[in-house]
Amino acid sequence: MLRAVLSDIHSNLEALEAVLADVDRSGASEILCLGDFVGYGASPNECIERLRPIVTAAVAGNHDVAVCGRIRLGSFGSNAAQAARWTGTILTPQSQAYLESLPITVRHAGALLVHSSPSEPRAWHYVLEVGEARAEFETFMESLCLVGHLHRPGAYRLDGVTGQVVYSREPEIALDPQGRFLVIVPSVGQPRDGDPRAGYLLWDDGRGWLRQVRVDYDLAAARQRILDAGLPPFLGDRLQWGE
Ligand SMILES: [Fe+2]
C-alpha cells in the first residue's frame, strides 16, 4: 500500500493544502501524521479541521502538547513560546480535544510512528547523528521507525549483518530486508533544510521504498497570515529561507 506521511505542519494551511493536492495525485491510500499540527503558524484550527477527518493514524508533537498546557514552555525559544500562547488563545474546544486525544506513539502497518525519538518520546530529543541513531535502534523492535521534529529529512540504516549505521539524505530509500530504518520525515509547514518548499514522505511498504516529495506553495500568503495575526515576523520570514 502507498501511504503519505506528513509531519510538522505547524499551522501552515497554504503548505498543507499544496501537500494534500500532491498526495491526491500520488494515489496514496492512507495519510499518516507525525505531529506538530500547530505552533509557529497562523492557521491552527484550519489545519486540524483539514487533517482530522483524513488521517488514518497520528501522534502528538511537542507543540501540540504545549498548546494544551501539558508541558511548560520553558524549553521553547521566545518566538515558539509566543506562538504557542497565541495558539492556545484561539484553539476551538474541538481542536483542543483532538490534540489532547493524540497518542505519543503508534504502531501502524508494522512501523513505529513517533514525533521525536523512540527512546524517550516524551523528552522531545532530536536524533542528530549516527551515534545517537545507533542507540535509538536498541529501543524499538520494528524494522521502520518514522519520526518528525527535526524538520531536516534524512534516514539512518542499521545493517542487520554488520551492525553498521549509515546516514543518508538521498530523497529515495530502498527498504531492503537486511536493514532497519530510522527515518526523519520532511516538514510540511516549516522546512529547515534550506529548501523552502513544503515536504512530505511517500511510503510503499509493498515495493519497499520511501521517497521524499517537495511541493511549491503560496509561501507569501502563509507569511502574510503570520504578520496579520501579530505573531513574530521572524516566523514568517524563515519560511522564505527554509531554515
Ligand atoms: Fe516541529
Side-chain angles (χ1 to χ4, degrees), residues 8 10 35-36 38 40 62-63 115 149-151 187 190 192:
D8 298 278
H10 284 298
D36 277 2
V38 303
Y40 297 129
N62 51 320
H63 287 255
H115 181 68
H149 196 40
L150 190 59
H151 301 210
S187 168
Q190 196 197 79
R192 297 177 190 163

Side-chain angles (χ1 to χ4, degrees), residues 7-217:
S7 190
D8 298 278
I9 295 92
H10 284 298
S11 302
N12 186 336
L13 183 63
E14 288 76 14
L16 177 60
E17 291 291 4
V19 161
L20 291 177
D22 202 74
V23 169
D24 253 2
R25 289 189 289 271
S26 77
S29 303
E30 284 189 341
I31 298 174
L32 314 178
C33 184
L34 301 183
D36 277 2
F37 289 74
V38 303
Y40 297 129
S43 306
N45 293 308
E46 295 88 339
C47 288
I48 292 168
E49 285 163 18
R50 189 73 175 88
L51 281 171
R52 182 174 47 186
I54 58 174
V55 294
T56 306
V59 294
N62 51 320
H63 287 255
D64 305 323
V65 172
V67 300
C68 294
R70 292 191 170 187
I71 57 172
R72 294 211 192 105
L73 295 177
S75 61
F76 278 39
S78 63
N79 291 321
Q82 191 176 331
R85 280 191 287 270
W86 175 86
T87 302
T89 65
I90 69 154
L91 268 191
T92 64
Q94 294 86 347
S95 292
Q96 178 153 350
Y98 179 69
L99 295 182
E100 287 178 345
S101 76
L102 293 170
I104 296 296
T105 63
V106 161
R107 285 171 182 79
H108 185 81
L112 178 64
L113 316 183
V114 56
H115 181 68
S116 57
S117 72
S119 62
E120 291 186 282
R122 292 174 197 276
W124 314 111
H125 293 310
Y126 295 102
V127 181
L128 294 170
E129 44 88 18
V130 164
E132 292 173 357
R134 184 177 289 111
E136 294 290 340
F137 276 113
E138 293 176 13
T139 68
F140 65 97
M141 300 294 292
E142 294 79 2
S143 58
L144 174 63
C145 176
L146 297 167
V147 304
H149 196 40
L150 190 59
H151 301 210
R152 291 200 296 272
Y156 295 94
R157 177 185 180 275
L158 169 66
D159 192 289
V161 174
T162 66
Q164 191 180 18
V165 176
V166 173
Y167 175 71
S168 167
R169 290 194 60 183
E170 289 298 317
E172 184 151 337
I173 301 292
L175 299 172
D176 65 282
Q178 193 174 304
R180 294 176 64 220
F181 298 84
L182 174 62
V183 176
I184 302 165
V185 173
S187 168
V188 171
Q190 196 197 79
R192 297 177 190 163
D193 61 347
D195 182 345
R197 294 176 297 169
Y200 74 101
L201 194 77
L202 283 172
W203 167 32
D204 190 325
D205 60 342
R207 292 193 172 90
W209 55 255
L210 296 164
R211 183 186 304 143
Q212 294 174 28
V213 183
R214 302 304 281 262
V215 185
D216 286 313
Y217 76 98

